[in-house]
Amino acid sequence: MAADHQIHMLNYGDQGGMVFEPGYLQVAPGDTVTFVPDNTGHSVKSQWLPEGVEPWQSPLNEPFTVTLDQEGVYLYFCPPHLMMNMTGVIQVGDSAGQQAEVEKAASGLSRRAFQNKGRLADYMQKISWAK
Ligand SMILES: [Cu+2]
């Protein structure tokens, strides 16, 4: 039974300004995630994806649904608000591989953030990596 999860795109949330909520989400393979534009001015673009997954990018101000079949870590961001660290992490499955590569991709995103520093690093702490 695949579940649908929602990630809200907000101008202001519990984690500060220009934010995806929840910023970290764990789902089961085959689940879908819908990005919901509660406020205007946001979109979502994939940054790091498990091998074989096609990159995705949503139109501005429109709900966007992705199906997450492949286990692993998915990193994404809002192109208009990358400087505010409007980023997020989805973990598909119980444990994730490729820790070094994912952390490198995350630090590349974080380097471009001038506000909300540390937000993506906090999300990254929640990933359960493969042993
Ligand atoms: Cu945004």
Side-chain angles (χ1 to χ4, degrees), residues 6-24 34-44 58 60-63 76-82 84-88 115-116 119 123:
Q6 293 195 337
I7 296 175
H8 296 270
M9 301 191 271
L10 303 171
N11 290 354
Y12 201 82
D14 295 337
Q15 306 296 317
M18 304 306 173
V19 67
F20 291 102
E21 285 193 1
Y24 170 85
T34 299
F35 292 89
V36 182
D38 294 77
N39 300 120
T40 58
H42 304 290
S43 63
V44 60
S58 80
L60 203 63
N61 302 326
E62 287 184 24
Y76 60 87
F77 64 102
C78 171
H81 299 120
L82 180 54
M84 286 124 167
N85 212 348
M86 187 166 175
T87 55
Q115 293 176 25
N116 306 310
R119 180 189 277 166
Y123 301 153

Side-chain angles (χ1 to χ4, degrees), residues 2 5 8 21 23 26 28 32 38 44 90 93 101 106 110 113 119 121:
H5 308 267
H8 296 270
E21 285 193 1
Q26 186 175 14
T32 56
D38 294 77
V44 60
I90 302 170
E101 291 87 346
S110 292
R119 180 189 277 166

